Amino acid sequence: GNSVTQMEGPVTLSEEAFLTINCTYTATGYPSLFWYVQYPGEGLQLLLKATKADDKGSNKGFEATYRKETTSFHLEKGSVQVSDSAVYFCALTNSGYSTLTFGKGTMLLVSP
Amino acid sequence: GAGVSQSPSNKVTEKGKDVELRCDPISGHTALYWYRQSLGQGLEFLIYFQGNSAPDKSGLPSDRFSAERTGGSVSTLTIQRTQQEDSAVYLCASSETLNTEAFFGQGTRLTVV
């Protein structure tokens, strides 16, 4: 079956620091990969996605590259802001499955 | 509508009561999903609909949980005889077709006291 493993949080950074949140997956076939973000008190929002190997998804300064050889989709941002404080979820969907499989989420706390 | 709408946003209920949670998907989206987000448990898939049909109900936690979708649009998740362990945020999402990008509602926070 499908599974997603994320680094446990919380990740605590100072403003303008470099961010990496690790995500690895197990899936059959050729899954599409996603990062979702949940800001405090809000619902899940799609942050970025990649649908095939070597694709890079990017949005709001965040990037993630679909690495099939290492089954990874690590989230990065060069300079985080306080407003990036949120919970980040890595997820996948597979052509043989009809739902998203999520990681457990990683809380990011950015201090001024 | 512009996005997935869920109601109510918050619900407090007494143990043993039944509750209904509503989801209005994005217009034209054929696929609809229900997830549960519990503290420390992450996101748990419950059920999905393709049109009005739910091919796989195995994700529902118990037979107290049921869901329906009518007219290929609005969906209702019903929890009968609520228990304290049902307390969670229930999230609904919709997508244009199965396995395409899913858009989430803001969720219903259910508290069973």
Side-chain angles (χ1 to χ4, degrees):
Chain A
N2 294 341
S3 66
V4 176
T5 302
Q6 290 181 237
M7 61 190 292
E8 289 193 22
V11 173
T12 305
L13 295 173
S14 298
E15 205 164 25
E16 299 183 3
F18 184 86
L19 168 72
T20 300
I21 299 178
N22 290 338
C23 171
T24 56
Y25 67 89
T26 302
T28 56
Y30 302 94
S32 294
L33 303 174
F34 306 84
W35 277 100
Y36 280 83
V37 59
Q38 187 174 34
Y39 297 104
E42 298 186 14
L44 279 170
Q45 301 174 28
L46 179 65
L47 180 60
L48 54 85
K49 65 178 181 180
T51 57
K52 62 183 188 295
D54 301 324
D55 268 2
K56 177 185 284 188
S58 60
N59 186 25
K60 299 181 181 180
F62 291 88
E63 293 184 338
T65 300
Y66 187 159
R67 301 284 188 202
K68 192 165 178 66
E69 65 276 14
T70 54
T71 61
S72 65
F73 193 55
H74 304 323
L75 182 69
E76 296 182 337
K77 186 174 185 181
S79 176
V80 294
Q81 305 301 311
V82 173
S83 57
D84 293 327
S85 297
V87 181
Y88 292 81
F89 292 90
C90 186
L92 68 82
T93 188
N94 185 286
S95 60
Y97 292 82
S98 303
T99 62
L100 286 163
T101 299
F102 285 92
K104 291 188 182 247
T106 303
M107 179 177 287
L108 171 65
L109 299 171
V110 181
S111 56
Chain B
V4 178
S5 177
Q6 292 187 246
S7 61
S9 54
N10 279 285
K11 176 74 177 177
V12 179
T13 189
E14 291 182 354
K15 179 180 171 181
K17 301 281 190 185
D18 298 351
V19 295
E20 282 191 355
L21 312 180
R22 177 187 168 104
C23 173
D24 279 275
I26 293 172
S27 178
H29 280 194
T30 63
L32 184 148
Y33 313 82
W34 284 99
Y35 291 84
R36 178 167 71 174
Q37 186 176 23
S38 306
L39 192 63
Q41 297 296 316
L43 279 149
E44 174 189 8
F45 164 73
L46 299 179
I47 191 170
Y48 81 93
F49 289 88
Q50 172 61 16
N52 293 333
S53 173
D56 180 6
K57 300 182 181 179
S58 62
L60 294 174
S62 75
D63 58 9
R64 296 185 294 105
F65 287 70
S66 62
E68 64 175 15
R69 188 180 186 194
T70 55
S73 181
V74 172
S75 176
T76 304
L77 177 70
T78 301
I79 309 173
Q80 295 178 309
R81 305 181 303 282
T82 51
Q83 304 295 311
Q84 287 187 329
E85 62 262 27
D86 299 334
S87 296
V89 176
Y90 289 83
L91 294 171
C92 177
S94 70
S95 61
E96 204 170 313
T97 62
L98 288 174
N99 297 320
T100 55
E101 183 178 326
F103 295 86
F104 282 79
Q106 296 211 347
T108 294
R109 181 175 297 278
L110 175 67
T111 304
V112 182
V113 297

